[in-house]
Amino acid sequence: MAAAGAAVPLYEYCAKTGIVNAVSPWYCQKGAQSINQALISNWTKWEPLAFLAVLLSFFIAILIFVMGTVLRNERLRTFGIGEMYEALASAIIVIMFLTIAGIIFGLLPSFVLSGNPYTSSLTYISNTINAEQNSVYQLFRVIIAVRFYTSIRTEICLPLCIRPITEPLAYLATWYFYTPAWAIVDLQLDGIMLLYGEFYLILLFSYMAIPVFLIPGVIFRTVLPTRGLGGIMIAVAIGFYFVMPVLFSFAEISTAPKLMQQAVIASSELQQYGGTSGAIFGAASPSSNLVTKGLDGIQASMGDYWLSVLFYPALILGVTYLIIGQIAEFIGGMTQLSGRMRAFAV
């Protein structure tokens, strides 16, 4: 990669002395996981078509300008001048594509994060999944044990049959532990499915954003009829490839340490107090360690858990959507284009 940077001046941001390589070495690292190498390998295939599209946009802009001049139509001439500016902007994006991408996807995250936002966000979600799965496993194991002991029925018949001990104990265990524990397991399983969805959403766009949205979007932006579509595609790539992982990394910083600690403590306490045949007696008492430390410990962590699973992802997706809309309007030039079209139509 450094050799490529030395050969082509526009790639020098990833040379040994390049600013992106110095600030964000993960962006320029060698290997299959390098974002810079993925960009270069995909852009190489599309670059000739991008330059051809830029030349076509210049030709169309000049043609409109000449027609306006010949017909002495000032509005048509002004529209042609505006299209020349748009073609020039597209040419700058195409010529400096790799440098611009290096600044957006490599340099900008370094101002808010110390490492690869994909590594931190995916690690954060994966660690949360593993911690909650372990918690669910420990809680489910105790639930099954309690359910087994409460299902045992002993009767003393002298000659009437009575259930002097196990029946009241089963009701108490069901009330104090079994029912709330099942509710927590149900909520945790729903949260784990949401976490898997968030994990694979980030992973999907890590593979799709560059070849499916970013590079074709740059090409579509150079042509007048598809300029708005190109702006949207570029904005989608920036939003889901850059903004969303960075925001998830912020969520990791704010919730992960406390959430991981609470999940580990709750799992160990469930394993300690619910791993023996005495679990039935602990489940039947509201002041037992199994209830006050094991079950209540999981309940205490549910606030941070739902922040991590539901609130922050919903907020992140909402912010990403808003940013995509703003970037699409800015890059696509829809406001200026619609204004020129209205002026031309009047």
Side-chain angles (χ1 to χ4, degrees):
M1 189 58 55
V8 183
L10 294 178
Y11 295 177
E12 289 182 355
Y13 58 88
C14 265
K16 290 183 178 180
T17 58
I19 183 172
V20 176
N21 188 42
V23 177
S24 306
W26 52 266
Y27 180 85
C28 298
Q29 65 183 353
K30 297 180 179 180
Q33 302 301 319
S34 171
I35 298 177
N36 188 52
Q37 287 188 357
L39 276 168
I40 292 177
S41 62
N42 284 283
W43 179 243
T44 302
K45 304 172 185 177
W46 290 83
E47 192 173 15
L49 182 60
F51 278 105
L52 181 62
V54 169
L55 292 176
L56 179 62
S57 65
F58 270 112
F59 175 77
I60 294 174
I62 293 172
L63 182 62
I64 294 174
F65 175 78
V66 171
M67 287 178 61
T69 303
V70 172
L71 298 175
R72 297 182 180 180
N73 188 322
E74 187 62 26
R75 289 174 179 171
L76 185 61
R77 181 174 173 274
T78 302
F79 181 74
I81 294 174
E83 284 305 302
M84 288 183 187
Y85 284 120
E86 292 288 355
L88 180 61
S90 299
I92 293 174
I93 293 175
V94 170
I95 294 172
M96 302 188 64
F97 172 76
L98 292 172
T99 303
I100 294 172
I103 293 172
I104 294 177
F105 299 111
L107 190 60
L108 291 182
S110 66
F111 292 108
V112 292
L113 298 172
S114 58
N116 190 337
Y118 269 91
T119 300
S120 57
S121 60
L122 292 176
T123 301
Y124 157 59
I125 297 176
S126 178
N127 289 340
T128 305
I129 290 173
N130 292 335
E132 293 305 321
Q133 282 180 334
N134 186 45
S135 175
V136 168
Y137 167 75
Q138 296 297 339
L139 185 57
F140 184 76
R141 185 177 59 84
V142 180
I143 288 173
I144 295 301
V146 170
R147 182 59 179 169
F148 170 75
Y149 291 120
T150 56
S151 65
I152 298 174
R153 297 289 184 266
T154 59
E155 295 182 349
I156 301 175
C157 299
L158 295 172
L160 297 176
C161 295
I162 59 174
R163 299 174 180 175
I165 298 176
T166 57
E167 193 74 14
L169 197 64
Y171 281 118
L172 291 174
T174 301
W175 178 262
Y176 288 122
F177 184 83
Y178 184 79
T179 301
W182 257 124
I184 292 175
V185 167
D186 190 39
L187 290 173
Q188 284 182 312
L189 290 176
D190 290 340
I192 289 172
M193 287 190 289
L194 287 174
L195 286 170
Y196 271 113
E198 295 159 14
F199 182 89
Y200 286 109
L201 177 65
I202 296 175
L203 199 62
L204 176 67
F205 274 97
S206 72
Y207 290 102
M208 288 179 55
I210 293 174
V212 177
F213 291 98
L214 184 62
I215 296 176
V218 170
I219 296 174
F220 285 141
R221 197 227 174 268
T222 60
V223 183
L224 174 60
T226 60
R227 184 168 299 145
L229 174 62
I232 292 173
M233 294 179 70
I234 296 173
V236 168
I238 294 175
F240 284 103
Y241 196 82
F242 164 62
V243 176
M244 189 170 67
V246 170
L247 293 179
F248 267 107
S249 299
F250 277 123
E252 174 196 15
I253 295 172
S254 61
T255 62
K258 184 179 179 181
L259 181 61
M260 296 300 108
Q261 182 181 9
Q262 289 175 335
V264 170
I265 292 174
S267 298
S268 63
E269 289 176 341
L270 283 171
Q271 187 175 10
Q272 178 182 356
Y273 301 119
T276 64
S277 58
I280 178 62
F281 297 101
S285 173
S287 59
S288 67
N289 288 328
L290 179 61
V291 175
T292 59
K293 293 184 177 180
L295 190 61
D296 290 349
I298 295 180
Q299 289 177 332
S301 67
M302 291 302 289
D304 290 319
Y305 178 67
W306 285 113
L307 279 176
S308 173
V309 172
L310 191 61
F311 176 75
Y312 283 137
L315 180 62
I316 287 169
L317 290 175
V319 172
T320 302
Y321 174 78
L322 292 175
I323 292 176
I324 287 174
Q326 294 298 317
I327 294 176
E329 184 176 355
F330 176 75
I331 295 180
M334 293 302 295
T335 302
Q336 296 85 348
L337 176 61
S338 61
R340 289 197 303 270
M341 289 296 288
R342 285 196 300 268
F344 175 68
V346 175

